[in-house]
Amino acid sequence: MKTAVMKELYSFLHHQNRYGSEQEFVDDLKNMWFGLYSRGNEEGDSSGFEHVFSGEVKKGKVTGFHNWIRFYLEEKEGLVDYYSHIYDGPWDSYPDVLAMQFNWDGYYKEVGSAFIGSSPEFEFALYSLCFIARPGKVCQLSLGGYPLAVRTYTWDKSTYGNGKKYIATAYIVSST
């Protein structure tokens, strides 16, 4: 909350009457991103933050893993084998969007999308905004004058607040 982008997000949502106080907003973000939900038969074995920013293996395949910094660090350690990209966004500078295929520590990711060159707080704020405004739907945005679509998902196996669903994933759908 100490970064400019998070302050801007709170200010916007507060003026939209989504949150009455910064503490209410912070508490909701904590529950949304770090509250546990079940990915399968086990109870409380994952969180939105883990899925989006760290990545997970589910049924032998990589899920989530949408953060370029984590990707870079894992690749540097020899844990990620980048195969190819299937989409490169229209931006001439950063942040950009890339959809790619890779192997992570022996597990395959058929296609994953990530911002490239953005700050973690930018991604956290953008995905939070989309989840709050359009939970479980496509969120249409404009970034640097280009259209961008971010898809969020809700997870039914756990709830927080007044029946809100945890954020399960957020990823870039398209930017054309």
Side-chain angles (χ1 to χ4, degrees):
M1 284 307 299
K2 294 178 182 176
T3 64
V5 70
M6 291 305 293
K7 288 181 186 301
E8 183 69 26
L9 177 60
Y10 169 69
S11 177
F12 172 76
L13 293 170
H14 180 72
H15 285 98
Q16 298 294 316
N17 294 317
R18 294 284 182 141
Y19 296 96
S21 70
E22 186 173 311
Q23 190 58 53
E24 179 188 4
F25 177 58
V26 168
D27 290 346
D28 200 34
L29 288 176
K30 284 180 183 176
N31 286 324
M32 183 189 310
W33 282 100
F34 300 102
L36 297 177
Y37 65 86
S38 173
R39 292 181 291 144
N41 296 331
E42 298 179 37
E43 293 299 318
D45 61 347
S46 188
S47 71
F49 187 86
E50 179 183 5
H51 180 87
V52 173
F53 288 93
S54 296
E56 304 176 288
V57 174
K58 183 178 177 184
K59 296 181 182 177
K61 292 186 179 182
V62 176
T63 65
F65 206 120
H66 301 290
N67 180 259
W68 75 273
I69 296 171
R70 171 91 166 143
F71 188 92
Y72 165 77
L73 293 172
E74 293 289 287
E75 186 176 39
K76 187 175 172 183
E77 293 294 317
L79 297 172
V80 167
D81 185 10
Y82 167 79
Y83 294 145
S84 66
H85 73 275
I86 57 173
Y87 176 79
D88 187 2
W91 296 274
D92 295 334
S93 62
Y94 296 109
D96 200 349
V97 174
L98 194 65
M100 55 200 158
Q101 297 176 323
F102 58 92
N103 184 297
W104 178 39
D105 201 22
Y107 297 97
Y108 181 63
K109 176 80 172 182
E110 185 175 347
V111 64
S113 57
F115 283 103
I116 307 296
S118 58
S119 69
E121 59 268 23
F122 170 82
E123 293 178 34
F124 191 83
L126 183 67
Y127 294 149
S128 297
L129 171 65
C130 285
F131 185 78
I132 292 164
R134 307 268 187 279
K137 299 177 182 171
V138 173
C139 179
Q140 301 288 341
L141 305 160
S142 176
L143 182 64
Y146 293 98
L148 174 72
V150 173
R151 175 75 160 105
T152 64
Y153 289 89
T154 57
W155 200 253
D156 292 328
K157 293 191 179 185
S158 189
T159 62
Y160 73 94
N162 293 320
K164 297 179 184 176
K165 308 285 191 231
Y166 284 107
I167 188 167
T169 187
Y171 70 95
I172 298 102
V173 175
S174 68
S175 58
T176 55

